[in-house]
Amino acid sequence: GAVVSQHPSWVICKSGTSVKIECRSLDFQATTMFWYRQFPKQSLMLMATSNEGSKATYEQGVEKDKFLINHASLTLSTLTVTSAHPEDSSFYICSADGRQGYEAFFGQGTRLTVV
Amino acid sequence: RKEVEQDPGPFNVPEGATVAFNCTYSNSASQSFFWYRQDCRKEPKLLMSVYSSGNEDGRFTAQLNRASQYISLLIRDSKLSDSATYLCAGESSGGYNKLIFGAGTRLAVHP
């Protein structure tokens, strides 16, 4: 299957700082990547669709100015959590479409803790 | 109504048991469905794709019922290592190749 790499795996940051998370497709080109957030014991919630070369599409209720997405190449999408607060602490996961259809391949996830 | 809904469980079953999960979906136009397995504090991993004819892989069988708009996952001869959260996913009505996930069903297999 396709390989998606996400970095960092975990990060602890101070409230008010910004954190950048990278998502790379290692063996295929991904024109579209997706960013999810998952709070403990809850479902994956789609935050936004990252489109190579154009603006991301955000789901309802997700602040685009807080969660900056950049998809500058066919193999890299980044999510920047700006001015992070403790309530932003969560598990952030990216995914990219598999080559054979709709199945999504996930990065390893980033556990963000804001203190 | 959520686009994809699952019974959160937990399902507590002994080793060797057969267990089945259902997942209902609202997007009747969805053509593709998937079951993912997620271990604690890990990313989901694709378990099976579910197409119109269903799918079987060893102890795992997935079925699609379009009339009632649900998919199912059957696990036979449960192993301790099957303990995990199982997520179903279908195509979002919003298009754009987006998958919508259910909340997940927790399975705990005990000796």
Side-chain angles (χ1 to χ4, degrees):
Chain A
V3 179
V4 177
S5 177
Q6 189 172 337
H7 178 81
S9 299
W10 58 271
V11 59
I12 301 173
C13 71
K14 289 185 178 180
S15 186
T17 61
S18 296
V19 175
K20 179 186 283 189
I21 303 169
E22 295 186 348
C23 181
R24 294 181 185 273
S25 56
L26 298 185
D27 58 351
F28 68 103
Q29 294 181 332
T31 55
T32 305
M33 291 185 177
F34 303 93
W35 287 96
Y36 296 85
R37 180 167 54 183
Q38 187 177 35
F39 292 106
K41 299 185 179 181
Q42 294 189 25
S43 177
L44 289 170
M45 296 300 296
L46 180 65
M47 299 175 67
T49 303
S50 172
N51 310 300
E52 187 270 332
S54 64
K55 291 182 179 180
T57 306
Y58 290 82
E59 296 299 304
Q60 191 173 8
V62 178
E63 299 175 59
K64 62 180 181 181
D65 295 329
K66 180 170 182 63
F67 299 99
L68 301 179
I69 292 173
N70 184 282
H71 195 154
S73 77
L74 287 170
T75 59
L76 174 64
S77 174
T78 61
L79 168 69
T80 302
V81 183
T82 63
S83 187
H85 289 100
E87 57 265 31
D88 298 324
S89 299
S90 186
F91 191 48
Y92 292 85
I93 314 177
C94 69
S95 76
D97 290 347
R99 282 168 288 189
Q100 305 214 347
Y102 284 87
E103 69 266 43
F105 294 94
F106 288 90
Q108 300 94 324
T110 298
R111 192 159 301 281
L112 170 64
T113 302
V114 184
V115 298
Chain B
R1 182 186 171 190
K2 295 181 180 178
E3 287 199 62
V4 177
E5 293 197 76
Q6 290 181 256
D7 181 345
F11 284 64
N12 295 300
V13 302
E15 275 187 287
T18 295
V19 61
F21 310 136
N22 282 343
C23 170
T24 60
Y25 63 92
S26 62
N27 178 17
S28 59
S30 181
Q31 296 295 313
S32 303
F33 303 89
F34 305 94
W35 283 103
Y36 284 80
R37 170 192 170 129
Q38 186 175 26
D39 292 293
C40 187
R41 304 174 81 84
K42 297 285 189 180
E43 78 278 16
K45 293 188 184 297
L46 182 65
L47 180 65
M48 302 181 75
S49 301
V50 188
Y51 298 109
S52 56
S53 57
N55 199 0
E56 183 172 330
D57 183 4
R59 298 182 294 108
F60 299 85
T61 301
Q63 296 283 347
L64 168 63
N65 185 316
R66 286 201 177 276
S68 300
Q69 293 191 202
Y70 74 86
I71 62 171
S72 62
L73 177 67
L74 181 76
I75 305 175
R76 290 180 295 275
D77 189 23
S78 298
K79 311 291 185 188
L80 295 176
S81 57
D82 294 334
S83 298
T85 296
Y86 291 83
L87 306 169
C88 64
E91 297 171 30
S92 168
S93 58
Y96 223 146
N97 283 16
K98 289 191 292 189
L99 285 182
I100 295 296
F101 288 84
T105 299
R106 285 191 292 134
L107 171 65
V109 182
H110 57 81

